[in-house]
Structures are given as C-alpha cells and as structure tokens.
Amino acid sequence: MEVLIIGAGIGGLTLGLMLHRAGIACRVFEAAPALKAVGVGINILPHASRELCGLGLEDALAKVAVTTREYCFYNRFGQFIYSEPAGRFAGYDVPQFSIHRGDLQMALLDAFIARVGADKLVTGWRCTRVEHDGDAAIAHFENAAGQPLPPQRGAAAISCEGIHSVLRKQLYPNEGPPKYSGINMWRGVTRWKPILTGASMVRVGWHHPAKLLIYPIRNNIDPEGRQLVNWVVDIETPQYQARDWNRRGRLGDFIYTMDDWKFDWLDVPQFIRSADAILEYPMVDQDPLPRWSFGRLTLLGDAAHPMYPRGANGAAQAILDCRALADALQAHTDPVAALKAYEAKRLPATSEVVLANRKAPPDAILHEVYRRTGDKPFKNIDDVISREELIALLESYKRVAGYDKERLKVRG
Ligand SMILES: Cc1cc2nc3c(=O)[nH]c(=O)nc-3n(C[C@H](O)[C@H](O)[C@H](O)COP(=O)(O)OP(=O)(O)OC[C@H]3O[C@@H](n4cnc5c(N)ncnc54)[C@H](O)[C@@H]3O)c2cc1C
C-alpha cells in the first residue's frame, strides 16, 4: 500500500522524492486546483541543502536561486556590526541557497514528475480527515466545491498541509489560535541592482522602530542585471491580522519607520517603495505538541511545528523531517512503529527550534547592540560588543537548529 502524502508544498514534494528513493510507493494529494509558484523568499541553509543536494537537485536549484555568500548585520543608522561567510564560502560541503518559494516548489515538482510520475500527484483533493481501518489509514477528501471524493487507503497518511492543517485540528481540536509574538511583518520583492556582494543576507536594526531583512532570490532578471530582492520588515505592534500567506499589505502602515534609512550602500525607503507587491503576515507560532504520530497518521513540516520565520528555518526543518521519516519507514516494516520512531527523532529537535526562535534567534545580535547602545550610533563596534560574543550568539542558534559545522560533519 502507498503512503498518502497530504499537501504538495515544500515538505510534501520533498517527502515524495525521498520515499521514491527509498523504494516506498507514495501518492501526493494537494488541495489547490493547480500548483502555482506562490510566496516570496525562502532560505535553504546547509543542513537542508545537504538533503536536497543528496537528492541530486543542486544544479536545478543553483540555476534558479542565488547562492548565498554571507550574512551581515547593521544597525538602523547603516553602521556595520558583523559579517560572516555562508554555505560553501564558510567551509560547508554544500551551498546555501536563497530562493523564491515558487522556484523551489517548481524544482521539486519537476523532479517529482520525472522520477515518481505525474499520476502520483493529484490536485484539487482537499483532505478533510483521516481514520483507521484495520491495517490501513483511510483519508477522506473533498473537491473545491466541497463535494466528497472517494476515500483513499494507504499504509500511512502524512499531513504535510502547512500551517492551516486540518489534520492537526482533527488531532488537537482544542488547541486554540496561533500565538502572536507582538511583531507584525511586511514582506515583498523589489527589482534592484545587486546590494553589497549581490549574494548577501542582510539584517538591519531592531524591532523598535523596525528591523529589516534583505536577500536576493533571483539573479539577472533583466538586461540591466538587476536581481529580484526579497525583504521583510518586522515591527513591534499590537495590530495584526490573522495569518494568511497571501494577505496584501499597505506601504503606509510601516514605511514611516524607516524614512531616514538612507545608507551609502542602500536607500531603504526608495528600495521598499519600488516593491512589486507587499504582503503582510503576523509573526505567530504554536506551542510544541506532545505527540505527532497517532497510529498510521503523523504530522510533518509547518503542520507539526509552525515557528517564527526569523531563523530562516521553516522550510529547512520540514526537509529534515522528510529525511527522518523516509529513513524510519525504510527501517521499520510496521508503519506505526516507523511513525513513532520519526516522532521520537524530530519532535524534540524541532521543539527546541520553535523555542529558540522565540528567545534566541540569529538576529539576537541586533537586539544586543540596540540594548547596549541605547539605540544610538556607535563610534566603534568593538567597544559595544566583542567579536567573540557575536560569534557565540550566532553559533548557539546554529547548534539548536542543527547546522553548526561540527554536526554536519558527523551526520550521514
Ligand atoms: C501560499 C504559500 C506561500 C508561502 N510563502 C512563504 C514565503 O514567502 N516565505 C516563507 O518563508 N514561507 C512561505 N510559506 C511557508 C513555507 O512554504 C513553509 O514554512 C515551509 O516551506 C514548510 O513547508 P510545508 O510543506 O510544511 O508547508 P507549505 O509549503 O505551506 O505546504 C502546504 C501544502 O499543503 C496544501 N494543503 C493544505 N491543506 C491541505 C489539505 N487539507 N489537503 C490537501 N492539501 C492541503 C497547501 O495548499 C500547500 O500546498 C508559504 C506557504 C504557502 C502555502
């Protein structure tokens, strides 16, 4: 019997490719009537990149993504705080990619169709619940009009449904709404000439008045050699709307916080005002769950562990889940035991990332500088914070999220 994968997002398609590699039959059911390249920027950090490169996708990704060269940090006066190399430039054996979510999803989809087969992916099938019947998981579906479709039997059902998972709701009907961090985010993409190295992931300022993250996600998009540059503005505010990846945002709601951010390396207001489109999304997550696997049903990716998107780890952790689940299904003949083994490996690890994203994300550096300078320009960064402290703050997050170099060296 096939494994039923619910959702053809980043996790669902990656899982399909990994199960196929392991010789395990699967089928993917996607609610959307067709897969379109939606979203804006996503980062594939070395721990996830290693898994995708292991699937033979490095060339396909390198063609559409930007190979990230460095991370750098500035205060809101445009003063340089710290930078360090990323991916292969930092000595990892794989690159780091900054990529449009749609380009990543399409690269995974092309590989899925070529390897697993177009008939193993159905669209317009929205899962409504999963039950058990003897030795099978039975998934129930409806079409876009809400009419029931034939139930499907599988060896297991894996919810890769993302943050709006109905199967998580089935398992935890009383969980309550997502938890708002107090920070609202405006996101967008701007066509712009290369900033700094042209492959820099740049973080500027702190949430009060605003923090800005910028990284390019497509190279050479026009004859002038401009890039598609992703940006995210975080602002501390009690005002927010329910989470929806596609909600439009308004420039006037946030641009005033950065009117004077005119640096010698970027005119921020002009850059933001030139955006193609602006989206708004609240920084929310949910408390880690005590359990994901119930018989032949389990959760994966955002359905299992929605997290603040401030450590660039949402897609990466979903990809690591896929590897652990494919390994477990290969190692255990009993799917129920496999799903439990997967949960034992990934639930504690991802819970730590959810909590670290709340308390000690990589941008904690910027908070520390903001706090120590009283949000004023500094004369010399070494008088504010030592290089060792900066490195220690970043390394501690890498260890929790699983992409410190020592860890990647020892993993198979
Ligand atoms: C439209 C959209 C835009 C996004 N944009 C960004 C972005 O710009 N930046 C960023 O960092 N992250 C973005 N994300 C989230 C990001 O993809 C995830 O955080 C991460 O990649 C983990 O992937 P996932 O597979 O768990 O979930 P997702 O990638 O969210 O995939 C979930 C998939 O399941 C499908 N689905 C949901 N419910 C059902 C159901 N009941 N039955 C069948 N199918 C179902 C969805 O349509 C979707 O295709 C976006 C997600 C979506 C859906």
Side-chain angles (χ1 to χ4, degrees), residues 5-13 29-32 35 38-43 101 104-105 125-128 141 159-167 187 215 230 245-246 279 300-305 309 314-316 318-319:
I5 300 176
I6 314 298
I10 308 308
L13 292 171
F29 299 85
E30 165 61 41
L35 284 183
V38 284
V40 281
I42 275 193
N43 263 278
R101 179 186 177 275
L104 171 59
Q105 195 181 15
W125 283 58
R126 183 175 179 278
C127 187
T128 51
F141 295 91
S159 162
C160 305
E161 302 163 276
I163 53 167
H164 299 297
S165 168
V166 297
L167 297 177
R187 313 176 296 133
Y215 55 89
N230 182 80
W245 286 117
N246 301 314
L279 301 165
L300 180 149
D302 280 2
H305 44 70
I319 292 165

Side-chain angles (χ1 to χ4, degrees), residues 220-389:
N220 285 320
I221 55 166
D222 60 20
E224 288 92 66
R226 288 189 299 175
Q227 296 177 307
L228 193 66
V229 183
N230 182 80
W231 53 263
V232 187
V233 174
D234 295 357
I235 296 181
E236 214 175 289
T237 167
Q239 311 295 330
Y240 72 100
Q241 305 215 50
R243 64 183 179 181
D244 171 356
W245 286 117
N246 301 314
R247 186 186 301 287
R248 295 277 150 177
R250 285 186 316 202
L251 188 70
D253 286 344
F254 66 97
I255 192 70
Y256 64 91
T257 58
M258 40 188 57
D259 274 344
D260 57 346
W261 290 24
K262 294 180 181 173
F263 313 142
D264 52 5
W265 51 273
L266 183 67
D267 181 331
V268 174
Q270 201 195 340
F271 168 75
I272 301 283
R273 283 177 192 283
S274 310
D276 285 1
I278 295 175
L279 301 165
E280 182 185 335
Y281 190 86
M283 194 183 283
V284 288
D285 68 3
Q286 267 155 329
D287 288 335
L289 293 175
R291 218 178 134 179
W292 298 341
S293 299
F294 293 77
R296 291 169 182 266
L297 169 63
T298 197
L299 307 174
L300 180 149
D302 280 2
H305 44 70
M307 56 182 65
Y308 296 166
R310 57 204 301 205
N313 250 281
Q317 295 300 327
I319 292 165
L320 298 188
D321 291 348
C322 295
R323 173 67 192 269
L325 181 54
D327 286 354
L329 282 164
Q330 202 175 18
H332 296 263
T333 43
D334 173 15
V336 175
L339 268 46
K340 269 290 167 207
Y342 152 72
E343 174 190 294
K345 179 154 192 202
R346 292 298 296 157
L347 192 148
T350 53
S351 300
E352 268 196 75
V353 184
V354 170
L355 299 178
N357 281 5
R358 286 183 186 170
K359 288 206 176 104
D363 54 15
I365 283 187
L366 295 170
H367 177 245
E368 211 39 41
V369 173
Y370 167 89
R371 197 179 63 76
R372 293 186 192 190
T373 57
D375 195 28
K376 299 270 184 327
F378 51 76
K379 283 212 176 75
N380 184 345
I381 187 63
D382 297 331
D383 299 337
V384 178
I385 187 164
S386 71
R387 213 181 139 73
E388 290 70 35
E389 279 180 280

